[in-house]
Amino acid sequence: MFIVSKSMDTLVESLSNHTETLIKKLKEIQKYNFSPNIDLLDFVFFMNQTSFDIRMFSMDRENNEVFKESLDSSLFAGSQGIISDVEFRHILDEQFDEFYSFYEENEEELWPKEEKAITEWFLNCWKAAETDVLKLPSYFVFHDASDSFDFNLLEMDR
């Protein structure tokens, strides 16, 4: 049997277990020599029912990805995986139907809690990595979402 509070505890614990990894990656990114064609960075959170990934995309002002077109190997452009294939729920094959029913029944309660926990975790890692030296505007967004969070402002409000 699945329970909302247990599901959230599992997610928060998994996020916590990957805090140091995320902070380390964010500190590494600060050292990149970004292409002058890059206007902003999008950190995109991809999530399914059992795992998540975070990928950074370099973007222009029109929200198009900037790819490496220069022969200068010291310049960064494109996208990069930040954290990959983090399993935060272990669901046995024979439990999938039960889990999907549970999630569908509780999605209106679960998703806002998950979104808040994930966003706060990323924001705390962002602050701990002292990303204020990163000169590019940077945003955190859930894949396929219309809202994003501007972490250069360090605000959670949309």
Side-chain angles (χ1 to χ4, degrees), residues 29-88:
I29 289 166
Q30 295 177 62
K31 298 174 186 172
Y32 289 7
N33 184 18
F34 290 100
S35 165
N37 298 329
I38 297 172
D39 295 315
L40 60 97
L41 299 175
D42 269 343
F43 292 86
V44 182
F45 193 90
F46 297 86
M47 180 174 163
N48 62 36
Q49 301 304 330
T50 60
S51 65
F52 68 84
D53 302 303
I54 301 173
R55 187 160 200 83
M56 178 186 73
F57 294 89
S58 57
M59 310 296 281
D60 65 16
R61 288 263 178 240
E62 283 75 46
N63 210 26
N64 298 307
E65 186 173 356
V66 175
F67 295 99
K68 189 169 189 153
E69 296 175 1
S70 167
L71 296 176
D72 185 351
S73 62
S74 70
L75 294 179
F76 176 86
S79 66
Q80 178 178 16
I82 305 300
I83 294 180
S84 299
D85 297 323
V86 173
E87 183 177 359
F88 66 92

Side-chain angles (χ1 to χ4, degrees), residues 7 9-10 16-17 19 33 37-38 53 55-56 66 71 86 88 92-93 102 104 110 114 117 123 126 149 153:
S7 180
D9 290 346
T10 303
S16 179
N17 290 339
T19 296
N33 184 18
N37 298 329
I38 297 172
D53 302 303
R55 187 160 200 83
M56 178 186 73
V66 175
L71 296 176
V86 173
F88 66 92
L92 301 173
D93 289 342
F102 157 77
E104 189 173 86
L110 267 171
E114 290 172 338
L123 175 61
W126 184 261
F149 301 92
L153 298 177

